Amino acid sequence: MFSMRIVTTSQYQAAPIPGLDTTTSEFRDSDVKRVPVLRIFGSTPAGQKTCMHVHGVFPYLYVPYDGTQPADRYLRQFAASLDKALNVANRSASANQQHVYKISIVSGM
C-alpha cells in the first residue's frame, strides 16, 4: 500500500506502454495511439515529495440513448461525431485522430 497526500494533479497523453496500457480498441478495431496518464503530485506521511503517474484511467461521460436507433450504427456515428468535435476544438479540424476508445450502453434502475 502506498499513501500520499495529494497536492495537485494534471494529465498528459502518452504512447501506450505494452503490458501496462491498453494498445488496441476493440470498439474501433484499431491500435491505440495515445493514452491518458494522470500525474499526481503530493507527499508521503513521512514528508517525502512524490509524483505518481497513473495509467489505465480513461475519462468518461454519460449520454442518454433512447434506443430508437440501431445501436451499433448509432454508437459508431456518435463516436465519429465526438472525434470530429474534439479535433475541431484542438484546432485540427482536418485531422482524423480518434479520441473515443470505447462506448458501452449501460442502464440504471
Side-chain angles (χ1 to χ4, degrees), residues 1-2 5 9 14 18 20 28 31 43 56 73 86 92 100 102:
M1 167 110 77
F2 185 80
R5 174 175 288 184
T9 63
L20 181 62
R28 286 306 219 353
D31 292 336
S43 61
R73 182 171 157 246
L86 289 168
S92 304
V100 178
K102 180 180 179 180

Side-chain angles (χ1 to χ4, degrees), residues 4 12 16-17 20-22 40 42-43 65 71 76 85 91 96 105 108-109:
M4 69 183 285
Y12 63 95
I17 300 170
L20 181 62
D21 294 310
T22 187
I40 303 173
S43 61
Y65 170 64
R76 294 192 184 284
R91 298 187 177 122
N96 289 328
I105 295 178
M109 295 195 203

Side-chain angles (χ1 to χ4, degrees), residues 18-103:
L20 181 62
D21 294 310
T22 187
T23 56
T24 58
S25 168
E26 291 179 22
F27 173 73
R28 286 306 219 353
D29 194 29
S30 64
D31 292 336
V32 173
K33 305 280 192 263
R34 311 291 282 172
V35 294
V37 180
L38 298 178
R39 190 170 30 212
I40 303 173
F41 298 92
S43 61
T44 67
Q48 297 169 302
K49 293 179 182 172
T50 184
C51 175
M52 181 182 341
H53 297 254
V54 181
H55 293 248
V57 179
F58 284 79
Y60 65 92
L61 59 110
Y62 290 101
V63 177
Y65 170 64
D66 60 10
T68 59
Q69 303 291 324
D72 188 52
R73 182 171 157 246
Y74 178 78
L75 297 180
R76 294 192 184 284
Q77 183 179 13
F78 181 76
S81 296
L82 192 53
D83 286 336
K84 181 67 174 172
L86 289 168
N87 285 331
V88 168
N90 289 331
R91 298 187 177 122
S92 304
S94 61
N96 289 328
Q97 185 173 356
Q98 294 179 344
H99 301 277
V100 178
Y101 165 71
K102 180 180 179 180
I103 296 181

